[in-house]
Amino acid sequence: AAVIAAVGVNAQDSKLTSSLGLATQHVHRGVTFNVAPVFEGKMQYGITNWLSVGADATMGLNAVAGYGNNFNLNVTATHDELSLTIKDYYFLNGYTGGANNYFDYGKATNHIVEASLKYAKEKYYGMAGLSVYQASENTKKGLYLEAGYDLLSNLTVCAGYVTEASAVNFREKGGFTHVGLINTRDWKVSESWTSKVTTGIYINPTYKHVTEAAGIGSLPVNATVSLTF
């Protein structure tokens, strides 16, 4: 099992939330990016009370080119418990292995744009995501489904499923991408400093069907530990 540990910093005001961390690996829907430590960062800015824009990035600390290094943008619209997100994934040295021109959205692009719809209540959520734009030579566009439920206030069970081969989920066949159990709790370091500790274990039932590509790991189980300041 891969053990993921992260150290990060958080900053937020009424409109902006952000975090920066260091992790041993990055896990994406049951697969790992880079078999090495990575920097992870994310931010989200609320334009209105229902519309926000954001970005997140992962950069590996090793010399492996490929999917472990990515930069992603999103736009999210929210109404009550329902949200619609358009997310643009950009993979350095990705599917085409081309010139890494970020602004190239042509037939050989390294971008994948996914649209997802999410319904979230206090104790559970469900979401569905589908690639709406990617390189024309890449025809794998299976529908991704995910759900989670809070067993306790700090313990969540989650699972993901893809209907068929999917590029953005790195699967050559359909099936469950992961089943996970996540525990999150605050750790009071001092009177003025509180950190968040998250531990989890993810089983990857379809690890044998993970796409073989530079920077992508395909272990049957991933254990995670993260610490965010």
Side-chain angles (χ1 to χ4, degrees), residues 26 28-29 31 33 56 58 65-72 87-102 108-113 133-134 138 167-170 214-216:
H26 176 77
H28 171 78
R29 298 175 180 175
V31 300
F33 289 171
D56 63 87
T58 302
Y67 302 92
N69 304 305
N70 56 83
F71 176 72
N72 317 308
K87 187 166 185 176
D88 179 3
Y89 293 88
Y90 177 74
F91 298 98
L92 188 69
N93 299 320
Y95 291 96
T96 61
N100 291 319
N101 181 358
Y102 181 85
T109 184
N110 284 337
H111 288 267
I112 299 180
V113 180
Y133 186 80
Q134 59 192 44
N138 195 336
V168 74
N169 295 289
F170 300 93
I216 295 298

Side-chain angles (χ1 to χ4, degrees), residues 10-50:
N10 277 334
Q12 66 179 32
D13 57 26
S14 59
K15 293 185 177 182
L16 176 68
T17 60
S18 63
S19 66
L20 177 65
L22 175 65
T24 58
Q25 292 186 92
H26 176 77
V27 180
H28 171 78
R29 298 175 180 175
V31 300
T32 55
F33 289 171
N34 279 305
V35 187
V38 297
F39 281 116
E40 297 177 327
K42 62 177 60 177
M43 63 176 295
Q44 199 76 18
Y45 181 77
I47 300 174
T48 68
N49 60 356
W50 61 271

